[in-house]
Each structure stands twice: as structure tokens, then as C-alpha cells.
């Protein structure tokens, strides 16, 4: 069917609002236990994963390719988002360059060496976002064990680990605000 020019304009404006990027950054997602880039829009949380693969074409030729894939999670499918702060201790390393004189029978030569030395530790705050999804039985693989308990394979929980804590807390605040706005519109 054909849309009127005004309807097409409203549809385009709605799509532009939905795809407006509110926040983006890097995180660790569990499951699938991989690093990802996150993009929060007014309608979804997009997790962009990248993986490198190498293919052998012949005995002398290899091809390396980077594959990216996006997991698109509609914010209306999220039931709850909780944030928790955690501290991690990270060792700080520094490269130390020094000269070594190697003595030989007839001559000596000076060689530069670089060693990586632990100079200390620092504590950083990270945020863990626990996202509970409302996964419908129609989109997960239904399965029951011998006692009749539901053991379906749909993912109901995601954990995003974000460094630093302030960025994770800001993402949590933005997601909760958008989810509340979506719920008000649906009512």
C-alpha cells in the first residue's frame, strides 16, 4: 500500500528518533563471554562483536578476515536493569631500557635491552549491568527435562561489564529512563 507524503514524513521522523545514538562505548558481554562495542539508541541496545578468522587458500596463500556481527536488543523486551559496582586490581607495567656490555675474547659490544617491569598496582572501579530479558517461548527452543521442568535454551540474563564505573552507571541511568518512557507510551 502507498503512504501519503505526510505519513512518510512521520514514519521517517519516528525512524530517526529511534536510531538516534544516545551513548556508545566498550564492554564485556556474558553470555557469550566476548568483548563488544555497545551502542544505546532510543529504541535498542546494540552489541557489536568482532572476530578475526584466517582461511588457507593454498599452501602459500592465507586470507585473514574480520567478521562483525550485531546483537540488537529491543529495549521493550527488557524487564529490569540493575547495576553493581566492583573493584579490580590491575598491575601497572613499565618498559625499562638499559644497555648491556657483552664481553668477547677480542672485542666487546653494547646491546640495548628492554624489560617489562611491574611498577605497582592500581585499583579501578568497574560496573556490572545485569539485564533481565522477557524472552517469549515462541522465540526460544522449548524443552523439558524428565520431571517436566522447562529447560529452554533462551537467554534470560545478560551481564555487561563496563570500565570505568561512571560510564556503566550513566548507561544504567539512560536505559532505565528510556525503558520507563517506553512503558508510559505502551500504557
Amino acid at each position: 500500500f502507498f503512504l501519503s507524503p505526510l505519513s512518510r514524513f512521520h514514519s521517517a521522523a519516528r525512524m530517526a528518533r529511534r536510531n538516534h545514538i544516545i551513548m556508545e562505548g566498550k564492554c564485556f558481554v556474558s553470555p557469550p563471554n566476548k568483548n563488544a562495542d555497545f551502542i544505546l539508541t532510543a529504541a535498542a541496545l546494540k552489541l557489536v562483536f568482532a572476530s578475526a578468522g584466517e582461511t588457507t587458500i593454498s599452501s602459500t596463500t592465507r586470507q585473514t578476515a574480520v567478521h562483525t556481527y550485531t546483537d540488537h536488543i529491543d529495549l521493550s523486551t527488557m524487564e529490569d536493569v540493575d547495576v553493581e559496582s566492583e573493584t579490580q586490581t590491575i598491575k601497572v607495567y613499565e618498559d625499562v631500557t638499559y644497555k648491556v656490555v657483552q664481553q668477547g675474547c677480542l672485542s666487546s659490544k653494547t646491546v640495548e635491552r628492554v624489560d617489562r617491569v611491574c611498577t605497582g598496582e592500581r585499583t579501578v572501579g568497574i560496573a556490572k549491568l545485569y539485564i533481565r530479558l522477557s524472552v517469549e517461548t515462541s522465540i526460544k527452543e522449548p524443552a523439558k527435562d524428565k520431571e517436566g521442568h522447562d529447560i529452554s535454551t533462551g537467554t534470560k540474563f545478560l551481564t555487561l561489564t563496563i570500565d570505568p564505573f561512571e560510564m556503566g552507571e550513566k548507561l544504567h541511568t539512560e536505559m532505565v529512563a528510556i525503558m520507563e518512557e517506553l512503558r508510559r507510551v505502551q500504557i
Side-chain angles (χ1 to χ4, degrees):
F1 62 89
F2 294 100
L3 295 174
S4 69
L6 185 60
S7 296
R8 282 194 301 252
F9 174 76
H10 286 302
S11 178
R14 188 171 48 250
M15 187 63 73
R17 269 195 317 269
R18 287 178 56 86
N19 290 330
H20 174 71
I21 295 175
I22 297 169
M23 190 175 172
E24 53 189 331
K26 297 190 176 298
C27 66
F28 180 81
V29 183
S30 175
N33 298 329
K34 293 186 179 199
N35 289 318
D37 294 331
F38 70 84
I39 302 169
L40 178 65
T41 66
L45 176 66
K46 298 174 185 177
L47 301 170
V48 181
F49 299 95
S51 63
E54 194 171 277
T55 308
T56 304
I57 297 172
S58 67
S59 62
T60 58
T61 309
R62 289 188 181 159
Q63 180 180 10
T64 304
V66 176
H67 303 282
T68 59
Y69 55 97
T70 303
D71 194 357
H72 178 101
I73 304 167
D74 198 313
L75 292 179
S76 64
T77 64
M78 293 185 189
E79 288 181 1
D80 191 23
V81 179
D82 294 321
V83 67
E84 177 181 282
S85 68
E86 219 175 80
T87 56
Q88 265 185 347
T89 304
I90 299 173
K91 290 187 178 184
V92 178
Y93 291 94
E94 191 176 300
D95 290 339
V96 177
T97 306
Y98 55 95
K99 294 181 180 181
V100 177
V101 178
Q102 294 179 340
Q103 295 282 336
C105 293
L106 301 173
S107 65
S108 63
K109 81 177 176 182
T110 305
V111 179
E112 275 194 11
R113 287 192 54 188
V114 178
D115 282 344
R116 197 159 180 82
V117 178
C118 180
T119 58
E121 295 179 341
R122 68 181 173 106
T123 304
V124 294
I126 60 170
K128 286 203 173 195
L129 267 69
Y130 299 101
I131 302 170
R132 186 171 67 220
L133 304 171
S134 60
V135 180
E136 300 294 326
T137 55
S138 61
I139 62 169
K140 64 180 181 177
E141 227 176 274
K144 300 209 181 277
D145 63 5
K146 291 179 183 178
E147 290 84 36
H149 297 99
D150 184 25
I151 55 167
S152 302
T153 57
T155 300
K156 284 198 167 230
F157 294 98
L158 282 176
T159 304
L160 273 59
T161 305
I162 300 171
D163 177 23
F165 175 74
E166 292 77 20
M167 179 180 267
E169 191 174 46
K170 183 178 178 191
L171 177 64
H172 173 258
T173 305
E174 294 286 345
M175 286 175 66
V176 168
I178 294 169
M179 288 168 53
E180 288 175 355
E181 184 179 326
L182 285 172
R183 288 191 179 118
R184 272 196 306 267
V185 171
Q186 289 176 353
I187 293 176

